[in-house]
């Protein structure tokens, strides 16, 4: 199989880093994006050395519309068309009842998880392969399937990702662009350290007493979705660790 060009947002950590590494190990060429340039540089070096594929890094903030459109416009001709966009960049901030939530946390979650994903997709669409082979993979969450207590803003943002994924699938039919939404449950990445703003004991407590998903589990699934035949599209995939049934039921030892 000829190599494909893959752009992964949020490739500096967690799922995005593992997804980029998996595509590279599969022989695909990868564009790594995220805000932390030092990490992008280190991961670029690591992937080049381990896989020998072409790697391009684009540091930008998905919340910033101009940065997003400038970054996409800067993608060299040799990287076009893009075959697969993985919209993975995202975060939760805080876990509080509605009345206690910090308004700034809501703003950042909506600007990143919802508007950022839409900006990146809109900006890359002219570069995305049409007529078969083009694929958008959006990172949702079980938080986009059920609303849990103190999850208000994050759950709203991931419900929006669920809705946007359905909307894209309909609107992009004519271009034969597949749209897949992957919805993981609890996974041990930097997610909880970000959510709890560096409070390590609280972040660690999220994963105590059971074996959570890890980034590799989700990356394996994303690659599986991306490696289906052209006429097959996995629309919606929910994955949890065995100890978790959904947002409400988690069995801790
Ligand atoms: P991490 O915190 O490990 O990774 C998040 C990634 O998103 C980082 O690479 C970060 O890069 C990037 N990112 C965050 N904000 C921005 C921004 N404004 N602009 C550009 N990039 C940004 O968490 P995960 O890997 O766990 O999370 C990845 C996705 O998976 C998110 O969408 C999350 O909501 C979702 N998810 C996570 C689950 C979990 O339990 N871990 C479960 C279900 C879904 P940088 O900081 O360098 O910009
Ligand atoms: C992350 C999973 O359950 O913390 O999206 O919302 S959860």
């Amino acid at each position: 199989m000829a190599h494909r060009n893959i752009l992964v947002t949020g490739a500096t950590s967690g799922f995005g880093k593992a997804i980029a590494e998996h595509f590279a190990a599969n022989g695909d060429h990868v564009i790594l994006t995220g805000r932390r340039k030092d990490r992008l540089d280190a991961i670029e070096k690591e992937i080049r050395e381990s896989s020998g594929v072409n790697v391009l890094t684009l540091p930008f903030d998905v919340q910033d519309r101009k940065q997003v459109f400038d970054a996409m416009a800067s993608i060299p001709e040799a990287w076009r068309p893009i075959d697969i966009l993985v919209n993975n960049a995202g975060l939760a901030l805080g876990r509080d009842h509605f009345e206690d939530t910090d308004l700034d946390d809501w703003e950042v979650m909506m600007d990143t998880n919802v508007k950022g994903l839409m900006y990146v997709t809109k900006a890359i669409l002219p570069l995305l392969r049409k007529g078969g082979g083009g694929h958008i993979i959006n990172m949702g969450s079980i938080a986009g399937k059920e609303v849990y207590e103190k999850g208000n803003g994050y759950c709203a943002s991931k419900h929006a990702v669920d809705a946007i994924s359905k909307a894209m699938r309909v609107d992009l039919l004519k271009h034969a662009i597949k749209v897949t939404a992957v919805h993981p449950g609890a996974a041990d990445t930097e997610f909880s350290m970000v959510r709890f703003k560096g409070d390590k004991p609280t972040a660690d407590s999220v994963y105590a007493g059971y074996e959570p998903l890890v980034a590799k589990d989700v990356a394996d699934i994303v690659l599986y979705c991306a490696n289906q035949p052209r006429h097959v599209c996995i629309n919606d995939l929910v994955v949890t660790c065995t100890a978790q049934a959904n947002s409400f039921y988690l069995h801790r030892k």
Side-chain angles (χ1 to χ4, degrees):
M1 188 171 73
H3 82 265
R4 300 169 295 187
N5 295 320
I6 319 289
L7 188 144
V8 183
T9 68
T12 57
S13 164
F15 297 165
K17 175 174 181 285
I19 290 165
E21 290 166 346
H22 271 52
F23 275 112
N26 188 57
D28 296 308
H29 295 186
V30 288
I31 304 177
L32 316 174
T33 81
R35 291 165 300 180
R36 288 170 289 183
K37 190 175 179 323
D38 54 336
R39 289 212 186 183
L40 290 175
D41 292 344
I43 297 165
E44 174 180 19
K45 185 167 179 287
E46 173 218 306
I47 290 180
R48 272 188 208 282
E49 285 171 4
S50 60
S51 308
V53 300
N54 290 350
V55 185
L56 180 70
T57 60
L58 293 176
F60 65 90
D61 184 336
V62 298
Q63 298 174 89
D64 185 319
R65 192 163 149 176
K66 184 172 181 325
Q67 282 186 32
V68 171
F69 280 81
D70 286 351
M72 295 307 148
S74 79
I75 293 175
E77 199 58 47
W79 283 86
R80 306 179 184 199
I82 303 291
D83 297 284
I84 301 177
L85 163 66
V86 184
N87 273 318
N88 163 78
L91 79 174
L93 283 176
R95 191 162 175 157
D96 300 294
H97 280 131
F98 194 91
E99 66 275 23
D100 300 324
T101 303
D102 185 333
L103 278 173
D104 289 338
D105 288 351
W106 278 346
E107 301 277 9
V108 174
M109 287 189 283
M110 289 298 169
D111 287 351
T112 307
N113 301 354
V114 185
K115 289 164 68 182
L117 181 149
M118 294 172 84
Y119 292 159
V120 171
T121 309
K122 182 97 165 111
I124 211 173
L125 263 177
L127 313 185
L128 206 60
R129 189 182 291 282
K130 316 287 189 313
H135 196 168
I136 298 169
I137 301 177
N138 292 332
M139 197 56 67
S141 168
I142 55 168
K145 298 292 185 183
E146 291 132 350
V147 174
Y148 54 82
E149 189 179 7
K150 302 182 179 177
N152 43 71
Y154 181 65
C155 292
S157 75
K158 289 298 182 178
H159 274 70
V161 172
D162 195 35
I164 292 160
S165 302
K166 291 174 187 159
M168 284 179 183
R169 195 172 302 120
V170 173
D171 289 349
L172 298 176
L173 264 186
K174 58 184 169 298
H175 300 301
I177 293 174
K178 299 186 196 185
V179 180
T180 297
V182 176
H183 301 277
D188 191 357
T189 62
E190 294 178 18
F191 177 84
S192 290
M193 278 294 278
V194 172
R195 178 172 218 170
F196 297 110
K197 303 172 184 175
D199 175 351
K200 192 165 174 353
T202 304
D204 287 347
S205 72
V206 172
Y207 309 111
Y210 68 101
E211 185 177 353
L213 295 173
V214 292
K216 179 189 176 304
D217 301 324
V218 174
D220 281 341
I221 285 164
V222 167
L223 190 64
Y224 175 78
C225 292
N227 283 351
Q228 294 304 304
R230 278 199 174 197
H231 67 288
V232 177
C233 178
I234 296 175
N235 291 342
D236 203 57
L237 193 154
V238 178
V239 53
T240 62
C241 65
T242 308
Q244 183 168 37
N246 55 33
S247 293
F248 309 114
Y249 293 95
L250 177 62
H251 184 73
R252 295 180 198 259
K253 283 184 207 111

